[in-house]
């Protein structure tokens, strides 16, 4: 095959194997070992922290698990071990694994389908909030160094069939190693995966690949076309003569956790303004998801969490139904968008700069209402304000300079470098600012009471981990997410009149995002086939 007698390399013809470059397969195996051993440090850290890996048997299991991941990656890369594919595929895996390791290792998040949805739906502002020197260093070490070596590595020229044979043998060999290890370690493997379900989402970068594949499968499985209409029979219940039309403002909070609201018993004064108003804070409300992308569509759906997650088709939402019933609808977004909810109703984005203080949503609001169709307004108005709220990790950006009650504040987005008290200060300042924004919103509604029967309902989309059990941010799979990410505040105004005592007695009733759709329809006095009075949190106390 080769011509050992040739003194000069250049005389090989391209059809023959050359010995002066790397075989793509070798690069693939090296990359698999690198990623398994180094880019999976958050997984190794988590596994080695488990009590069951403290023994020699446990240590051998962790080692075997590492070899399994290396074998799986080698099998995958053997499929791409060709001159023109190996480098791009290795580069992609190295980068995916390095970014994955940074976010998992720094924030305690895991990478599953939901997290990947969040990543794909994120906007440049959110990305800027997450960037740090620490991230650059981490990604540089795990991906930059091997990428540099990869880029400089000359590749051997190969003949097709011998290479195909080698790739196939490597693929079979790697799968055999994997199968043998699964067999040998099955007891430990199944126990660990069962008892620590989030571990599987730490396997890097297979978690990202799986999530991308799952998302692609989901979007293929959904029939194309517009969402199924709802509320085809929706109508407005007759009002007493002379009664004002309803105006309901739903404020969708962001990343606010219930236990940091003074109204719910938090020891710090995070609700100084709402405390002075006739509000009711529901104390036991659970979110539908642990991220904006999962919670928002679920909150505005008539289906409720269980049926929403099992749905075969997408449906229209609360906004479509209210508009179909004949009322005016307006979505004001001060964050990363309405996730498709407001596509068919009037909507406006108020967040164009970097900081996007939530009070901006109240500026010029009268003019925005005036611009809605007059005959629809006469029947009623549904306003949705989507807050920036307490969106992390840069909590210190979520309150204006003159409203920082709690000092000092952590001013980095590298949360685990923050002094814990300073981190909480920054977060609590964002909650106190939300308190101010809600009080301002109630003031605006009070000024409109002559024309409208006004109501405000505030509910956050999900909570946030602030370092409990070394977890930060949000977005863990619902089944394993701690209550900090799921227990959300919900506040109703006004609490007055003959029904106030009854409503106040509902304070500790267990509620969830499932109740939002039906409670809003109840307040607006809209009936439809989709309305379920049992899920209307305010129905029990409504004067009829
Ligand atoms: Zn959110």
């Amino acid at each position: 095959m080769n011509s050992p007698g040739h003194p000069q390399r250049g005389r090989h013809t391209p059809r023959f194997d050359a010995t002066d470059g790397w075989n793509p397969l070798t690069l693939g195996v090296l990359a698999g070992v690198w990623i398994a051993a180094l880019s999976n440090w958050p997984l190794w850290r988590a596994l080695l922290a488990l009590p069951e890996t403290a023994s020699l048997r446990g240590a051998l299991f962790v080692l075997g698990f590492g070899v399994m991941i290396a074998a799986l990656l080698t099998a995958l890369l053997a499929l791409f071990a060709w001159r023109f594919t190996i480098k791009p595929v290795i580069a992609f895996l190295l980068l995916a694994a390095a970014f994955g390791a940074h976010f998992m290792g720094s924030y305690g998040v895991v990478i599953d389908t939901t997290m990947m949805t969040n990543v794909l739906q994120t906007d440049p502002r959110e990305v800027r909030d997450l960037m740090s020197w620490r991230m650059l260093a981490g990604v540089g070490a795990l991906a930059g160094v091997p990428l540099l070596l990869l880029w400089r590595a000359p590749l051997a020229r190969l003949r097709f069939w011998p290479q195909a044979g080698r790739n196939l043998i490597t693929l079979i060999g790697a799968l055999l190693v994997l199968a043998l290890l699964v067999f040998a370690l099955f007891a430990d493997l199944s126990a660990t995966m069962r008892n620590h379900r989030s571990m599987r989402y730490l396997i890097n970068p297979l978690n990202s690949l799986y999530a991308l594949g799952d998302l692609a499968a989901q979007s293929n499985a959904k029939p194309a076309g517009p969402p199924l209409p709802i509320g085809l029979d929706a109508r407005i219940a007759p009002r007493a003569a002379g009664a004002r039309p309803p105006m309901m403002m739903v404020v969708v909070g962001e990343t606010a956790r219930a236990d940091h609201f003074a109204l719910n018993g938090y020891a710090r004064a995070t609700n100084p303004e709402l405390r002075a108003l006739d509000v009711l804070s529901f104390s036991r409300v659970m979110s539908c998801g642990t991220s904006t992308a999962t919670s928002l569509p679920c909150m505005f759906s008539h289906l409720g969490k269980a049926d929403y997650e099992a749905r075969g088709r997408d449906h229209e939402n609360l906004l479509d139904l209210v508009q179909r019933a004949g009322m005016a609808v307006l979505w004001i977004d001060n964050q990363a968008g309405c996730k498709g909810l407001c596509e068919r109703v009037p909507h406006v984005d108020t967040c164009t700069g970097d900081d996007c203080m939530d009070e901006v949503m109240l500026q010029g609001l009268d003019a925005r209402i005036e611009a809605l169709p007059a005959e629809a307004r006469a029947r009623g108005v549904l306003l949705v304000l989507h807050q920036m709220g307490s969106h992390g990790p840069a909590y210190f950006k979520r309150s204006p300079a003159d409203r920082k009650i709690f000092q000092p504040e952590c001013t980095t987005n590298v949360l685990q470098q923050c002094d814990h008290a300073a981190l909480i200060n920054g977060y609590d300042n964002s909650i106190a600012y939300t308190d101010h924004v809600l009080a301002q919103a109630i003031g605006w509604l009070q000024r409109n009471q002559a024309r409208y029967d006004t109501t405000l309902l505030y509910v956050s989309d999900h909570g946030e981990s602030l370092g409990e059990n070394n977890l930060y941010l949000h977005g863990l799979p619902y089944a394993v997410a701690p209550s900090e990410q799921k227990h959300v505040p919900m506040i109703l105004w006004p609490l007055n009149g003959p029904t106030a005592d009854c409503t106040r007695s509902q304070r500790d009733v267990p509620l969830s995002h499932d109740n939002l759709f039906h409670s809003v329809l109840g307040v607006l006095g809209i009936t439809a086939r989709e309305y379920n009075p049992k899920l209307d949190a305010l129905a029990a106390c409504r004067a009829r």
Side-chain angles (χ1 to χ4, degrees), residues 126 253-256 290-293 295-296 335 339 386-387 391 460-463 474:
E126 289 177 322
E254 175 59 49
T255 314
T290 62
S291 69
T292 310
S295 277
L296 237 57
Q335 211 209 94
K339 312 290 178 196
H386 184 203
Q387 275 193 299
H391 199 294
S460 182
D461 62 346
H462 52 77
H474 55 265

Side-chain angles (χ1 to χ4, degrees), residues 256-259 264 282-291 295 298-299 304-305 309 459-463 478-490 507-516:
R257 32 190 282 192
D259 63 349
N264 294 334
F282 293 93
S283 70
R284 296 177 62 191
V285 184
M286 299 304 283
S287 68
C288 178
T290 62
S291 69
S295 277
C298 179
M299 292 165 80
K305 178 173 165 59
E309 286 167 355
V459 59
S460 182
D461 62 346
H462 52 77
Y478 202 87
V480 298
S483 71
E484 290 87 9
Q485 298 189 16
K486 300 189 283 201
H487 182 199
V488 290
M490 183 163 105
R507 175 189 160 85
D508 299 324
V509 171
L511 297 170
S512 75
H513 279 165
D514 287 9
N515 299 98
L516 181 69

Side-chain angles (χ1 to χ4, degrees), residues 495-518:
L495 186 69
N496 56 19
T499 61
D501 284 341
C502 173
T503 308
R504 195 175 289 112
S505 73
Q506 307 288 303
R507 175 189 160 85
D508 299 324
V509 171
L511 297 170
S512 75
H513 279 165
D514 287 9
N515 299 98
L516 181 69
F517 178 95
H518 309 276

Side-chain angles (χ1 to χ4, degrees), residues 275-347:
R275 247 196 207 298
L277 298 167
D278 296 324
V279 299
L280 176 67
S281 179
F282 293 93
S283 70
R284 296 177 62 191
V285 184
M286 299 304 283
S287 68
C288 178
T290 62
S291 69
T292 310
T294 48
S295 277
L296 237 57
C298 179
M299 292 165 80
F300 285 82
S301 164
H302 67 289
L303 294 169
K305 178 173 165 59
D307 288 344
Y308 175 77
E309 286 167 355
R311 76 198 183 286
R313 285 281 309 259
D314 279 332
H315 292 72
E316 289 181 350
N317 60 69
L318 177 65
L319 310 176
D320 299 297
L321 190 152
V322 172
Q323 181 166 263
R324 182 162 287 137
M327 290 190 183
V329 178
L330 176 64
W331 180 290
I332 302 179
D333 206 293
N334 197 39
Q335 211 209 94
C338 68
K339 312 290 178 196
L341 291 169
C342 61
E343 263 169 20
R344 295 166 295 276
V345 302
H347 55 271

